Amino acid sequence: MPSSALISASQAWRDLKGHVDEIDKTHLRSLMSDVDRCKSMMVEFDGILLDFSRQRATLETMQKLLNLAEAAHLKEKIDRMFNGEHINSTENRSVLHVALRAPRDAVINSDGKNVVQDVWQVLDKIQDFSDRVRSGSWVGATGKELKDVVAIGIGGSFLGPLFVHTALQTEPEAMECAKGRQLRFLANVDPIDIARNITGLNPETTLVVVVSKTFTTAETMLNARTMREWISSSLGPQAVAKHMVAVSTNLALVEKFGIDPKNSFAFWDWVGGRYSVCSAVGVLPLSLQYGFPIVEKFLKGASSVDNHFYSTHFEKNIPVLLGLLSVWNVTFLGYPARAILPYSQALEKFAPHIQQVSMESNGKGVSIDGLPLPYESGEIDFGEPGTNGQHSFYQLIHQGQVVPCDFIGAVKSQQPVYLKGEVVSNHDELMSNFFAQPDALAYGKTQEQLEKENVARDLVPHKTFSGNRPSLSLLFPSFNAYNIGQLLAIYEHRVAVQGFVWGINSFDQWGVELGKSLATQVRKQLNASRKNGEPIEGFNFSTKTLLSKYLEASADIPADPPTALPKI
């Protein structure tokens, strides 16, 4: 079994710490001139090309990182995850999102049971149900086909499915399968989000999917009750059974809510919310929109990377290499952030999803054994599709703080355009930036170069680019359903690798609990003050002042207003 000692006590860690001084003496301009080095920093798998030659690393660096992986027992930890051991020790759970996209004949055990069989029972049920809705054999209370779906969920029940849906919206095969249908996501408890979701929808043609494992998530259930009222007020309470289904494990509360338990789709406690897009959480709404065959291609792409991650030597293992390089950048080189830059508008919701996958997983201050970490872990993730980001925050990336960048692109566009008379196609124009930006970050522009160009002396400091700014590039064949599954799995496993090396638990999220519990106290106070005029008690001066101002300014809101749905 792996040692409970912090990884920072290992010789491999000390070797890397000492190696930083050596790397600080180098510049990417010189590193990039070593062709053999660059060749060794390119990995291909299943149509994907990873180029990490623009990282601030040498061949010696990579060997030291591989030594760190060995010291951290990385292979053992990966095996334990795939074998269904309870590696989420603080919640005593397995971590088996890989089982969600495993082939039907695979064997992945948790607590002595092959969970793949359970997964495929749910997938078969989803396929049957989505086929019936899409074919019109399942209709609404008035006999009309259900063409519109609103999926209610928050966090992992929203961000992952939204990313995949957005990525598929302009993919030709998926577009064809989704003709005449629409999928919306309701996450925020803010009534504005409800208003936006129901605008233009007809309750007679709308199916609502409520996603909550326990059926107690405060924001989700309030939104679910609001949508239930929207349906009931128009079609009658009996219509709920035809217009609302659930993704949950709490069948008792599902039934109490008014949803037929037969129309509930299960998932399991070994599926973390942010890793749940391949479960019924994402597969049900996506299958309703695009059909199960499209979603199955997405699952197969993710499974391909799962197998690569599990079985490939670390020297050629894309998620492992990405995870080790992130540890190098964050903990040893001291870069706290990472920019995720997909050069495809289809991936506009990818960075927000990875923000949760990464920051909720690895935003920890103690080891898995509860020891305070004497080093930095986790990173701040942000991003925007290129070329939008170039006209937003690239200024800082080029001349401000150093932010390692992930450039993600595809050989073929989902929607190619080539205008007569133009030098290149629209996609070539986009990808010209994909190829140019990493070099601009790596090489920069020197004072000498600017002087040779006769740049005015007073402008030279402003136009100088230091370069030596690390990035990596991922080039995919295209962004079809299969490739999107690959991309998702690469980043999921990258995050796991980082956590395994840092020695933290990437699969719990206790940090989200405190604010929620304090909100419960505020909720009770607001109710008591509005209904009974009770004074504000039990809060600090600042919060009491804010609450007083809020209650005073909203005093015209009745304590028990008549039911009213948002209107635009």
Side-chain angles (χ1 to χ4, degrees):
M1 292 291 291
S3 168
S4 61
L6 291 172
I7 187 63
S8 54
S10 69
Q11 184 60 47
W13 185 279
R14 290 192 291 271
D15 287 346
L16 277 163
K17 290 289 283 186
H19 183 62
V20 171
D21 289 340
E22 187 176 338
I23 290 298
D24 283 343
K25 296 173 185 175
T26 67
H27 194 288
L28 278 168
R29 292 187 200 111
S30 61
L31 293 178
M32 291 298 293
S33 67
D34 185 340
V35 174
D36 288 336
R37 170 192 169 274
C38 292
K39 283 182 180 178
S40 73
M41 293 185 172
M42 294 187 180
V43 175
E44 291 189 68
F45 166 73
D46 199 11
I48 306 165
L49 173 62
L50 165 65
D51 175 5
F52 58 98
S53 61
R54 293 175 189 80
Q55 289 286 305
R56 290 187 60 205
T58 62
L59 298 181
E60 184 183 359
T61 312
M62 297 312 300
Q63 186 56 56
K64 289 181 183 296
L65 286 170
L66 292 170
N67 293 343
L68 183 67
E70 185 176 355
H73 306 279
L74 179 58
K75 180 59 177 149
E76 287 179 58
K77 292 174 180 177
I78 293 171
D79 289 347
R80 291 182 66 210
M81 182 175 82
F82 276 79
N83 290 337
E85 294 186 38
H86 288 207
I87 63 171
N88 180 356
S89 55
T90 62
E91 297 177 309
N92 194 28
R93 293 174 180 172
S94 301
V95 176
L96 283 177
H97 43 280
V98 295
L100 298 172
R101 55 258 189 154
R104 191 184 292 269
D105 58 357
V107 177
I108 300 177
N109 290 311
S110 177
D111 299 320
K113 182 179 182 181
N114 181 14
V115 299
V116 176
Q117 295 175 349
D118 294 339
V119 168
W120 275 95
Q121 283 182 0
V122 175
L123 290 176
D124 289 340
K125 183 178 179 181
I126 290 173
Q127 181 172 16
D128 174 68
F129 179 73
S130 59
D131 283 351
R132 284 189 287 146
V133 172
R134 288 171 57 83
S135 68
S137 63
W138 174 293
V139 294
T142 62
K144 292 186 177 180
E145 290 188 29
L146 300 174
K147 297 281 191 179
D148 310 311
V149 173
V150 177
I152 304 176
I154 198 165
S157 300
F158 155 66
L159 291 165
L162 177 63
F163 148 58
V164 179
H165 170 52
T166 307
L168 289 174
Q169 275 185 310
T170 45
E171 199 280 321
E173 184 183 10
M175 280 180 69
E176 184 65 27
C177 294
K179 273 187 176 178
R181 309 194 63 83
Q182 59 178 319
L183 171 60
R184 301 183 182 185
F185 290 90
L186 171 56
N188 201 328
V189 74
D190 187 335
I192 292 171
D193 204 12
I194 297 167
R196 288 178 174 176
N197 268 276
I198 64 177
T199 298
L201 291 188
N202 179 356
E204 292 182 276
T205 60
T206 301
L207 178 68
V208 177
V209 179
V210 184
V211 182
S212 175
K213 182 182 292 186
T214 63
F215 236 60
T216 59
T217 308
E219 301 96 331
T220 297
M221 295 318 299
L222 180 54
N223 280 338
R225 290 191 294 274
T226 305
M227 291 300 291
R228 181 180 62 186
E229 176 62 29
W230 180 68
I231 290 168
S232 298
S233 62
S234 177
L235 307 176
Q238 76 287 346
V240 170
K242 296 291 286 183
H243 290 264
M244 298 188 80
V245 297
V247 177
S248 180
T249 56
N250 194 335
L251 297 183
L253 287 184
V254 167
E255 185 171 21
K256 185 177 180 181
F257 184 87
I259 295 175
D260 188 340
K262 293 178 183 177
N263 300 327
S264 183
F265 299 83
F267 60 118
W268 306 269
D269 65 6
W270 42 258
V271 182
R274 56 195 173 277
Y275 299 97
S276 66
V277 64
C278 294
S279 74
V281 168
V283 172
L284 177 58
L286 292 168
S287 292
L288 287 165
Q289 177 70 5
Y290 298 104
F292 188 82
I294 293 289
V295 181
E296 190 170 17
K297 291 179 180 179
F298 161 72
L299 297 176
K300 286 180 176 177
S303 181
S304 167
V305 169
D306 294 341
N307 292 332
H308 168 71
F309 176 54
Y310 181 68
S311 61
T312 304
H313 290 299
F314 288 172
E315 295 88 346
K316 297 293 182 182
N317 190 312
I318 291 177
V320 169
L321 290 169
L322 294 181
L324 292 175
L325 287 166
S326 287
V327 170
W328 171 240
N329 285 327
V330 172
T331 310
F332 294 94
L333 296 183
Y335 303 140
R338 172 179 63 185
I340 299 172
L341 309 171
Y343 275 68
S344 171
Q345 191 64 28
L347 302 185
E348 64 177 307
K349 295 299 182 181
F350 182 60
H353 175 50
I354 298 305
Q355 279 180 339
Q356 189 201 16
V357 173
S358 173
M359 295 169 73
E360 192 169 83
S361 293
N362 290 339
K364 309 291 170 61
V366 299
S367 75
I368 197 166
D369 299 306
L371 301 174
L373 298 180
Y375 48 83
E376 296 297 328
S377 67
E379 61 207 327
I380 302 162
D381 280 291
F382 69 97
E384 186 74 17
T387 56
N388 297 6
Q390 293 174 200
H391 295 268
S392 174
F393 51 80
Y394 276 40
Q395 169 63 47
L396 182 145
I397 289 173
H398 279 288
Q399 291 185 306
Q401 297 185 47
V402 178
V403 180
C405 298
D406 292 359
F407 290 92
I408 303 167
V411 174
K412 296 180 180 179
S413 172
Q414 289 184 346
Q415 296 290 325
V417 174
Y418 200 144
L419 298 180
K420 186 176 180 180
E422 295 289 341
V423 177
V424 293
S425 70
N426 292 37
H427 186 64
D428 281 348
E429 179 67 29
L430 173 74
M431 293 300 288
S432 295
N433 290 274
F434 170 86
F435 295 116
Q437 290 290 340
D439 277 343
L441 289 166
Y443 289 89
K445 199 160 191 178
T446 66
Q447 179 179 331
E448 291 75 21
Q449 288 174 306
L450 292 165
E451 289 172 349
K452 285 182 180 178
E453 295 174 3
N454 296 317
V455 172
R457 184 174 298 176
D458 62 320
L459 289 180
V460 167
H462 300 282
K463 292 194 172 186
T464 298
F465 291 76
S466 64
N468 207 31
R469 293 164 182 259
S471 69
L472 58 86
S473 301
L474 278 165
L475 185 62
F476 287 77
S478 64
F479 288 127
N480 58 29
Y482 184 86
N483 301 135
I484 293 162
Q486 290 177 309
L487 177 63
L488 174 76
I490 285 171
Y491 274 77
E492 286 180 343
H493 295 319
R494 175 193 200 164
V495 166
V497 168
Q498 292 173 256
F500 287 152
V501 172
W502 280 320
I504 61 180
N505 185 356
S506 299
F507 307 106
D508 63 9
Q509 57 282 333
W510 299 106
V512 305
E513 299 297 324
L514 180 58
K516 288 163 67 174
S517 65
L518 293 176
T520 300
Q521 299 175 31
V522 175
R523 188 185 303 117
K524 291 178 180 177
Q525 181 67 61
L526 289 172
N527 179 267
S529 296
R530 287 202 193 280
K531 283 193 171 184
N532 306 318
E534 292 184 15
I536 299 170
E537 295 178 346
F539 297 92
N540 61 54
F541 175 80
S542 294
T543 305
K544 184 176 180 179
T545 302
L546 287 167
L547 280 171
S548 298
K549 183 70 174 177
Y550 177 73
L551 285 165
E552 180 183 332
S554 59
D556 58 332
I557 299 175
D560 290 302
T563 298
L565 292 167
K567 294 178 181 178
I568 290 183

